[in-house]
Amino acid sequence: MTEHLAAENRELILAREAPFGLAGTQVRPAALEVEHDGRVAALEPRVMKVLVALARSRGEPVSRDELIELCWGGRIVTEGALNRCTAQLRKALADNPRIRIDTIPTVGYRLQASADLHVHPLGGAGATTAAAADEVDPAPRRLWPMAAAAVAAVAVIGGAAWWWTAPKPVTWTAASYRPITSERGLETHPALSPRGDQLVYAQRYDSSQTRDLYLRGVGPGATPVRLTRDSGDNHSPAWSPRGDRVAFVRAGWSGPCSLVVVPMPLGPERVVGRCQAATYTKVSWLDDETLVISDRPTPSAIRRVRAIDIRTGVGRDLTAPTAETLGDSDPVVSPDGRSIVFRRGLMHGADDLFLKDVRTGRERALTTDGWKAVGYVWSADSRHVFYSTNRGGAFGLWTVDTRRSGPPRRVSLGLGNVSFSRMGADSGNRLAVEAPSGSSNLARRAPDGTVSAVTSSSNSDDWDPTAWRDGTVAYISDRSGASEVWIVNPDGRAVQLTSLVGSYVSAPSWSPDGRDIAFVSVKGRRSEIYSVGRDGSRLRALTDDGADKLSPVYAPAGDRLRYVLHDAGGYRLMELPLAPGARARAVPGGAGWREVKGGPDGRLYGVRGDGVVRAVLGGAEPEAPVRLGTDDSWAPTADGVYVLRARRDSQTPPTAWLHPWTGPARKVTELPFTWGDLSLAPDGSLIFIRDLDEQIDLGLIELTS
């Protein structure tokens, strides 16, 4: 195997492959496209994998066995299957004479692509033509300068014509910003009417309540009018193209949801469809009779973009994400109805925006950098997508041009780093955005019931706490602008350990001797496990394959790590020896584990798809099964398994329970304003995330170009 392919000895995952160029041809693996001189050809997934594998070899031959290993995962395939792929690849690349795929007899194939590569006719005609040219009367050769000048003139004219007709680059800036709401509580999911004179949004006093929808004008002093008064959780409103109706999602605290349409300004509502994934389903109108949402056709299926006929309630899939991704979410239809932008979860902590052509069904990647993409909307001319991303470390507003190639551009706002989780737009390029001002820190609940702060933060969040036996707490914080690993010492002194400036950092885990912390860092389309000393030294990457990873845990001896790997084969437990040059290997019987954690006795506990906490490699388990809900968190301890039960309804706040190894579970305490992971300190204290201020207002940004 060539040295360039040796490090990639696993089946290729196209969703994680960055675009690249071949002698003027652009290759976009995640979108299954090759583009040359403005012409785009779509490739089958297997054909694209062969192209990526050949390109990685950098002009060296690649054997048939290597291609089968990389592109078919080592499965037994016929020789004809590989021959068909290369034939389709040659056809797709035929527009560029500087690219050639050579067949190496009895070996395999070689890809050559360079600025000076000339493809001659078969049968050695290239040499014959050159020899014949030497025998021709030299006088006609004086015509070559004139011919070259003519070709150059045509190229200049063609280039000028392209320059005048191609869409010009656009720079967007914020002309103004003003607040729309200032009520106490959380105003979210803003949806501007097409004319921009009205706003529908969701509102609740705090996270213990369900949301209701309100309608108001966008001018100063406008009075909100309540649209919903039921017991359900109402969110994600979307105006119809004509502005005469609003569709939204109605759900309980868990379980399936409904799609509801209400006439505007106000009329009798009607349930037009059902959905499975209530929490994150965004709604958009494809036309007057069709909604698009992100949903699962069955509870266990991967998310995809679906179209719902509001006359019949019948749904159909518009996208088909592959198993190695986390699915597709938050579709938004362009104002002209021709395109849908949606977010594809490449892995835990990495997203890209994709564009789907409604007429042809073709998909292509709008962004290819893997940075998070949270809220996004279209410009009025259906050309640009404005989106909130942490590209470069801190969240801000960016734009990507759907009609020109090139990287996203930042929109100058002058508002600092603001995460617009959701936004709406009107026909005048005004954006209604969420403007959160709350923050969270880590708190400690002592065995006697007293609560005290572990960390202090301002306009930032702390999460993923894990305590070592001397009382030092490792955690993740975005107080530096990007998510990084921090520790807080027993004396309260906080220290930042990393400055990776990636899109996501998670799951810190202490080594048995307390000298190092392992964690997952995602940057671009790659997820790796790192370790760092508790003093900030010895930062190093422990993996180098880029695959989606979760839950690193040191073995009791500290000589290896165990973690969860997610790829096209699903979730499985891996083990990585920490010796130089060692490679990770699958743990026998480790298929299906989605999360693992280490107990104080060194045992490993985990959760599969059924949500039940079990001992992974043998050991004691609570007598009564510990079954987790969707948003519950847990921690194995010497006393048993602590579980933080997420809010189930408006009357029951998040509550910590102890499931002892023997005996029934018992309630420990209520933690009204908390979410995410919890940890147990050496003194028996519970360390949890505490919301300091739940406040989200809405504002209006007017953009100019």
Side-chain angles (χ1 to χ4, degrees), residues 469-494:
R469 58 176 175 261
D470 69 349
T472 304
V473 177
Y475 61 101
I476 309 299
S477 178
D478 61 4
R479 63 184 65 192
S480 65
S483 56
E484 303 288 355
V485 180
W486 290 66
I487 63 169
V488 58
N489 293 288
D491 61 5
R493 182 172 53 91

Side-chain angles (χ1 to χ4, degrees), residues 46-301:
R46 201 74 65 184
V47 177
M48 179 60 78
K49 288 186 176 184
V50 172
L51 175 56
V52 172
L54 291 173
R56 283 182 178 179
S57 70
R58 303 177 187 176
E60 297 294 324
V62 184
S63 72
R64 291 176 177 268
D65 289 342
E66 290 176 67
L67 289 172
I68 291 171
E69 177 69 27
L70 290 163
C71 305
W72 279 267
R75 294 184 288 277
I76 298 175
V77 296
T78 65
E79 186 171 325
L82 182 55
N83 292 340
R84 283 192 295 273
C85 280
T86 54
Q88 293 179 41
L89 197 52
R90 286 178 171 129
K91 181 178 179 180
L93 300 173
D95 285 345
N96 191 342
R98 294 179 292 171
I99 300 177
R100 183 173 69 205
I101 298 177
D102 298 327
T103 301
I104 312 298
T106 73
V107 177
Y109 298 92
R110 176 177 60 196
L111 172 69
Q112 296 192 72
S114 65
D116 57 355
L117 177 62
H118 299 280
V119 180
H120 298 294
L122 297 177
T128 304
T129 303
D134 288 339
E135 299 173 0
V136 177
D137 188 330
R141 295 182 185 178
R142 287 193 295 270
L143 296 175
W144 280 104
M146 290 184 289
V151 170
V154 171
V156 170
I157 294 171
W162 176 88
W163 189 90
W164 282 109
T165 59
K168 305 303 184 291
V170 176
T171 299
W172 292 90
T173 59
S176 63
Y177 172 84
R178 64 176 176 83
I180 300 177
T181 67
S182 58
E183 295 94 327
R184 172 64 184 169
L186 296 84
E187 292 86 53
T188 60
H189 298 82
L192 276 172
S193 63
R195 293 189 302 173
D197 57 338
Q198 292 182 303
L199 178 72
V200 175
Y201 59 96
Q203 195 275 339
R204 57 179 166 176
Y205 182 75
D206 59 43
S207 58
S208 69
Q209 301 175 337
T210 56
R211 290 165 285 197
D212 276 305
L213 297 186
Y214 286 79
L215 171 70
R216 69 184 297 159
V218 299
T223 301
V225 176
R226 188 171 177 176
L227 297 182
T228 60
R229 295 181 178 273
D230 60 284
S231 60
D233 188 34
N234 302 287
H235 60 87
S236 303
W239 290 84
S240 65
R242 292 185 297 176
D244 60 341
R245 290 166 292 171
V246 167
F248 62 93
V249 178
R250 172 172 293 154
W253 285 98
S254 61
C257 53
S258 300
L259 299 175
V260 183
V261 171
V262 58
M264 299 303 291
L266 191 60
E269 63 181 38
R270 179 168 63 98
V271 175
V272 298
R274 304 292 180 183
C275 45
Q276 295 285 342
T279 307
Y280 300 107
T281 299
K282 185 176 178 63
V283 182
S284 189
W285 290 77
L286 184 61
D287 54 47
D288 280 337
E289 305 297 339
T290 311
L291 300 177
V292 290
I293 63 173
S294 165
D295 198 21
R296 300 181 174 97
T298 63
S300 60

Side-chain angles (χ1 to χ4, degrees), residues 441-454 669-673 685-690 692:
N441 68 357
L442 301 181
R444 181 193 314 269
R445 183 196 181 274
D448 64 4
T450 59
V451 176
S452 59
V454 175
T669 185
E670 294 182 354
L671 301 170
F673 300 107
S685 299
L686 281 176
I687 300 175
F688 61 96
I689 303 166
R690 180 174 60 178
L692 298 179

Side-chain angles (χ1 to χ4, degrees), residues 646-692:
R647 187 180 298 279
R648 296 291 191 265
D649 53 53
S650 59
Q651 284 74 44
T652 307
T655 306
W657 289 75
L658 173 62
H659 294 256
W661 303 118
T662 59
R666 63 180 177 86
K667 179 179 176 179
V668 177
T669 185
E670 294 182 354
L671 301 170
F673 300 107
T674 188
W675 52 273
D677 281 344
L678 80 165
S679 178
L680 194 72
D683 64 356
S685 299
L686 281 176
I687 300 175
F688 61 96
I689 303 166
R690 180 174 60 178
D691 282 322
L692 298 179

Side-chain angles (χ1 to χ4, degrees), residues 337-409:
R338 297 181 178 181
S339 304
I340 302 173
V341 62
F342 61 92
R343 178 175 62 246
R344 177 160 291 165
L346 306 179
M347 61 181 67
H348 294 81
D351 308 316
D352 268 332
L353 294 180
F354 277 72
L355 191 70
K356 184 175 185 68
D357 189 307
V358 174
R359 295 166 298 178
T360 66
R362 279 185 49 230
E363 294 177 12
R364 63 183 177 93
L366 277 184
T367 64
T368 56
D369 49 31
W371 293 97
K372 286 185 178 181
V374 284
Y376 42 89
V377 292
W378 286 90
S379 61
D381 62 0
S382 299
R383 174 179 167 183
H384 295 88
V385 173
F386 304 109
Y387 71 111
S388 177
T389 177
N390 63 346
R391 178 184 173 92
F395 275 95
L397 187 65
W398 292 68
T399 181
V400 59
D401 193 333
T402 66
R403 300 181 192 173
R404 291 179 62 95
S405 60
R409 296 185 176 194

